[in-house]
Structures are given as C-alpha cells and as structure tokens.
Amino acid sequence: MERQFLEMPPEAGDLMDERRDVTAIVLAAGKGSRMESRVRKQYLELEGRPLICHALEAFERSPVNRVILVAGAGETTFCREEIVEAYGFKKVAAIVAGGRERYHSVYEGLKAAEGCRDVLIHDGARPCVTEDIICRAMEGAARYKACVIGMPVKDTIKIADEEGNASHTPDRSTLWQIQTPQAFSYDLVREAYDRLFENPSLEPGITDDAMVVETMTKHKVHLIPGSYENIKVTTPEDLEIAGLFLKRRHVSVYLKGQIAT
Ligand code: CTP
Ligand code: MG
C-alpha cells in the first residue's frame, strides 16, 4: 500500500477534492455517413430516445460540473430545444457549432470550456458510457494529466501492405482499442490543440485527442480500462448491439429496485 502511494504523482492527493472543476465536451457534430441513415445517427431513436441523450444522461448523473455539447453547424437550436430542454439536461452549459473534422469540433468545444481545470472529451456516438467509466476518466485526468479509456484488443491485428497482403502481425498483448472519454488537464490539451492549429501540415491522420497530446507535447497518455460495451455506434449493426446493452442495463436496474423494496 505504502509503496503504491509513494509511486503516485503529487496530483493524486487531491483526487477527491470537490472543488476540482471538470467540464465534459460531448461531440455530436459528425455527419454519420457510415450509418447511411436519413436522420443523422446522433438523433436516431435508441431505446426510446435520441441516441445522443444516452451519453448526456451519463454525464448528467456523473460528478462532472458541466457539459458542452458540440452540434452540427445548423443544429444548435434543434439541440437546445429538442434535446437539452426537451429531456431536461441541466448540466449542459453551452451548445456550440462543430467543424469539418472531429478535431475541429473538439477545438470549438475546448475554446468554450476555457477556465476549467480538467476536461473530458466524449464521442456522443458512444451511448453505453457509464458513470463509472466517467469517474475513472476523471480520476485519470487528476492523476496523470492525460488519459484515455480503452480496452485490450481481443482479435489478432494485422498490418496490410499495399497489395492487400498481411505484412506483419503486431504483438497483441501490447494493443489497445481506444474509446472515449479521453481526459486531460485543460491547459495541457489546449496547448496541444493550439499547436496543432498553428501547424496545419500536422492535421492529416489525427483520429483522437490523445494523438494530439502525444504528437504536440512530451506528456505521456495513460491507458485506463473501460468496458467492451462502450462501443461507438458507427454502422447499423452497432445500433442494434448498443440497444441490447442498454436494454439489459435497464432491466437489471429494475430488478435491483424490485429486490430492494
Ligand atoms: N464528430 C464531430 N465533428 C466532426 C466529426 C465527428 O463532432 N466533424 C463526432 C461525431 O458526432 C461522433 C464522434 O465525433 O460523436 C466520433 O465520430 P464518428 O463516429 O466518426 O462519427 P461521424 O463522423 O458522424 O460518422 P462518419 O465518420 O461515419 O461520418
Ligand atoms: Mg467520422
């Protein structure tokens, strides 16, 4: 126990400090093109509500102080009226318009989050995120200043060559699939994004926030286990799977309620 404590960086001491100011940026400004649906995937119905509501609800119940929702350029009024007001999300402090790529949307969210101490960045397309995962990300940000939620990969991964043949097979025990939330000390991630936007030649190929911090700073990004259920809804079968996970959760909450009363 003592050794573990000594190995912790000093920030770990104030993990439970309620004054920590944590903002979550929830991204919903994508086009959802791989879903090939008429309605954008973030608004598709999932377990009786627009998909984006599930992630917003997890943040609403979590200890984060406020949420910034990043919506499509023409969709901020719709999100305010039909999502935030209609479902009563009290922690949503601002709704801002996103940009062309995910990292443009994140940057808009970061600018709106100015002044917070830690920031969590979450794909609104991950409806199965839980309060527990959010808490782990918050603790990771406090302890390491930069962390991502992910899980060890279960499948063998191969690197393909230009002819479509397997060129090599990385050691699976070192591979993680990365999810969100990705959580950072605000100043660190803001500096990394500012540098990215000062160097547009570095933009291509950026797929997540950790990559921006890894590329633009010397700071290490810690990997924190999440859940295999925290999937990103990308194609139609993901919607079905997310529905099953959410349904099962609601049933077990109901059963617990029955036993408790
Ligand atoms: N996102 C965003 N702004 C963008 C692109 C993506 O806010 N310009 C958000 C999406 O709304 C989603 C998350 O980033 O919550 C992850 O992106 P992805 O799953 O790729 O969603 P889309 O970009 O909408 O889907 P697709 O790539 O199939 O078009
Ligand atoms: Mg995309």
Side-chain angles (χ1 to χ4, degrees):
M1 264 326 258
E2 197 181 11
R3 199 169 145 261
Q4 256 183 8
F5 179 73
L6 288 174
E7 280 174 0
M8 283 183 190
E11 294 82 32
D14 57 6
L15 274 186
M16 294 305 149
D17 183 348
E18 284 181 1
R19 286 165 300 170
R20 288 194 74 85
D21 181 21
V22 181
T23 295
I25 296 172
V26 175
L27 300 169
K31 299 237 175 304
S33 42
R34 286 170 287 179
M35 183 62 78
E36 295 183 343
S37 53
R38 202 175 47 80
V39 175
R40 289 202 179 167
K41 71 176 178 186
Q42 49 273 48
Y43 310 122
L44 285 173
E45 189 188 315
L46 174 61
E47 284 300 290
R49 287 187 285 162
L51 189 148
I52 185 67
C53 288
H54 294 279
L56 290 173
E57 184 171 332
F59 282 98
E60 190 80 13
R61 290 168 187 248
S62 80
V64 304
N65 301 91
R66 70 185 66 78
V67 173
I68 292 177
L69 177 60
V70 185
E75 295 164 10
T76 52
T77 306
F78 172 82
C79 277
R80 183 165 44 78
E81 292 172 357
E82 305 299 326
I83 305 287
V84 176
E85 289 173 4
Y87 292 89
F89 294 117
K90 306 242 175 321
K91 285 191 182 172
V92 177
I95 304 171
V96 298
R100 199 183 64 238
E101 301 292 336
R102 184 184 180 281
Y103 58 84
H104 294 119
S105 298
V106 172
Y107 200 40
E108 293 310 314
L110 284 174
K111 286 187 266 182
E114 183 111 41
C116 66
R117 184 156 162 188
D118 292 334
V119 63
L120 271 61
I121 303 170
H122 183 68
D123 294 331
R126 292 185 189 272
C128 302
V129 66
T130 59
E131 284 167 71
D132 180 50
I133 293 173
I134 293 168
C135 288
R136 271 181 258 168
M138 289 173 71
E139 288 173 10
R143 186 168 295 174
Y144 304 104
K145 288 188 184 294
C147 71
V148 292
I149 295 291
M151 290 299 281
V153 303
K154 294 195 270 194
D155 291 324
T156 295
I157 304 286
K158 293 204 184 283
I159 308 292
D161 67 15
E162 279 157 16
E163 281 93 50
N165 297 316
S167 83
H168 64 281
T169 310
D171 175 7
R172 192 177 60 193
S173 67
T174 66
L175 298 175
W176 280 54
Q177 58 192 67
I178 299 308
Q179 308 171 344
T180 67
Q182 305 205 350
F184 308 91
S185 158
Y186 181 83
D187 293 345
L188 175 73
V189 70
R190 179 65 195 266
E191 187 186 333
Y193 266 87
D194 283 342
R195 284 191 197 157
L196 174 70
F197 281 89
E198 284 159 17
N199 298 281
S201 63
L202 300 171
E203 288 176 21
I206 294 285
T207 54
D208 76 343
D209 316 298
M211 235 179 125
V212 180
V213 170
E214 289 158 33
T215 320
M216 301 294 156
T217 77
K218 290 196 167 69
H219 204 90
K220 293 243 180 287
V221 178
H222 198 73
L223 301 171
I224 294 185
S227 156
Y228 287 113
E229 294 192 7
N230 184 20
I231 61 166
K232 182 156 70 69
V233 174
T234 308
T235 52
E237 63 274 17
D238 298 328
L239 197 63
E240 273 184 65
I241 296 164
L244 289 175
F245 289 152
L246 291 170
K247 200 178 296 191
R248 197 181 55 195
R249 208 182 284 168
H250 291 148
V251 167
S252 70
V253 167
Y254 176 70
L255 286 177
K256 269 190 213 155
Q258 291 290 89
I259 292 162
T261 51

